[in-house]
Amino acid sequence: MTLRKAIFPIAGLGTRFLPATKSVPKEMLPVVDKPLIQYAVEEARAAGIEEFIFVVRPGNRTIEAHFSRSPDLEDNLRRRGRKAELESIISSCIDPAKARYVPQDRPLGLGHAISCAQEYAGDEPVAILLPDDLIRAPAPCLVQMAEAFGRRGGNMIAVMDVPKVEAPRYGMVEPGHRDGRLIEIKGLVEKPTPEAAPSTLAIVGRYIVQPGVFRHLMRRQPGAGGEIQLTDALASMIGEAPCHGFRFEGRRFDCGAKIGFLEANLAYALSDSMIGEEARRLVRRYASGEAVSSAGGR
Ligand code: G1P
């Protein structure tokens, strides 16, 4: 089964990053020089995705503008001989025939956002990427998963271990048989208390799901936080389709939180070929306290 389509649910209000996210979607915040959504699209492309379904805030066209050609800017860069920048903005565009921008009219949760994409997802397996989970890996996370999915099919969810006290921030997995990076999933629970968490295995925002998920999403009642949860729909499919966790190789940054976002910027900046060396010098200065005392508060 080949994977051709991906859904990017990006209609969230980005409350934790206000006021930055008042008019700009959280997924447009940059890690060094690229917005989060572009990292996710590049990961999807590497996994062979050809059709991109963005579930966006109604009336907000920022994401669409980002992935569309920009003749004035391109002309300007061409005239000034800025070849690298020109290439980078052209190569990041998506053929408009391959991109859909679907509004999520009400903030009813991740499961509801996914169901908004049903019309375009069709009757085939689809990948779901949550761009605020930024994953740095030797092979992109979705590439790793697509390879395993080709062998196993069913529903597949990226997972990683977290401290049990953090269970209320995640969907948590009840694991069964383990086979290398694959873990049979026997149950799923969205944002349990640490005591109720069935393990320390947490869901990370990469999924490959069967089209049957839409039927289950339709039937879902609001779950954790009063929202329609993707986790609940996937849990109700256990028994109907194989369900596996995939323990990916790589490092995940939680860019939905300020500290995770800062850490991602540090990690990417420190290993950047252009600014890495200077960034390392800066970090040393701040770590030694020398720069902090002269910078003052904000
Ligand atoms: C969502 C999912 C959750 C998952 C998390 C990963 O939660 O509902 O199961 O563990 O993403 O980032 P959110 O972070 O949107 O509250």
Side-chain angles (χ1 to χ4, degrees):
M1 260 182 298
T2 47
L3 195 57
R4 300 184 316 115
K5 298 184 181 182
I7 305 173
F8 302 83
I10 49 178
L13 297 177
T15 316
R16 285 190 221 154
F17 285 93
L18 283 170
T21 47
K22 194 174 162 202
S23 62
V24 176
K26 171 179 64 169
E27 292 75 12
M28 282 303 295
L29 298 180
V31 169
V32 183
D33 55 4
K34 237 192 300 189
L36 286 168
I37 185 65
Q38 197 175 325
Y39 287 95
V41 163
E42 286 175 6
E43 182 180 329
R45 271 199 174 128
I49 297 299
E50 295 164 1
E51 282 187 43
F52 303 82
I53 308 165
F54 300 97
V55 182
V56 298
R57 285 193 213 172
N60 193 302
R61 305 198 59 173
T62 321
I63 301 285
E64 188 171 350
H66 181 73
F67 289 111
S68 302
R69 296 293 293 265
S70 180
D72 290 349
L73 177 59
E74 288 172 25
D75 276 351
N76 179 300
L77 294 172
R78 208 170 284 119
R79 273 200 312 275
R80 291 158 57 213
R82 306 297 293 254
K83 268 180 94 175
E85 290 87 350
L86 180 63
E87 265 165 39
S88 92
I89 64 156
I90 293 178
S91 65
S92 64
C93 289
I94 301 177
D95 174 354
K98 301 286 183 192
R100 308 279 180 190
Y101 302 91
V102 191
Q104 183 183 10
D105 48 8
R106 283 165 302 161
L108 297 182
L110 176 60
H112 175 254
I114 301 305
S115 64
C116 293
Q118 175 169 19
E119 185 187 342
Y120 299 111
D123 196 23
E124 57 185 288
V126 61
I128 299 170
L129 295 94
L130 311 189
D132 55 10
D133 277 338
L134 177 59
I135 302 175
R136 199 152 192 248
C141 181
L142 193 66
V143 174
Q144 301 176 40
M145 287 176 73
E147 193 273 323
F149 175 77
R151 288 184 276 119
R152 295 297 181 106
N155 289 326
M156 194 167 285
I157 306 171
V159 294
M160 69 176 199
D161 274 303
V162 299
K164 221 167 191 175
V165 288
E166 290 181 13
R169 287 170 41 191
Y170 297 95
M172 300 299 292
V173 171
E174 183 190 339
H177 178 72
R178 291 174 192 242
D179 175 12
R181 294 195 172 275
L182 284 170
I183 300 161
E184 178 201 353
I185 293 182
K186 294 168 80 176
L188 289 165
V189 41
E190 181 69 9
K191 304 199 169 83
T193 60
E195 299 72 38
S199 73
T200 55
L201 270 186
I203 297 177
V204 175
R206 299 291 183 278
Y207 310 75
I208 300 175
V209 298
Q210 296 299 320
V213 75
F214 293 107
R215 193 168 23 88
H216 286 262
L217 282 170
M218 290 301 168
R219 292 206 297 250
R220 292 311 314 168
Q221 297 296 317
E227 298 184 335
I228 308 283
Q229 297 292 351
L230 176 60
T231 303
D232 295 345
L234 293 171
S236 63
M237 288 176 81
I238 293 171
E240 169 185 316
C243 188
H244 288 96
F246 183 83
R247 205 192 280 269
F248 57 95
E249 184 187 4
R251 177 92 220 264
R252 172 258 191 181
F253 298 96
D254 177 9
C255 292
K258 281 179 197 161
I259 286 293
F261 180 69
L262 175 65
E263 188 185 353
N265 267 288
L266 275 174
Y268 279 72
L270 290 170
S271 59
D272 186 278
S273 60
M274 304 293 282
I275 62 166
E277 215 180 292
E278 204 168 326
R280 281 191 291 279
R281 255 200 309 276
L282 267 182
V283 167
R284 275 196 294 272
R285 276 183 57 211
Y286 275 86
S288 72
E290 175 202 338
V292 187
S293 48
S294 55
R298 63 166 197 167

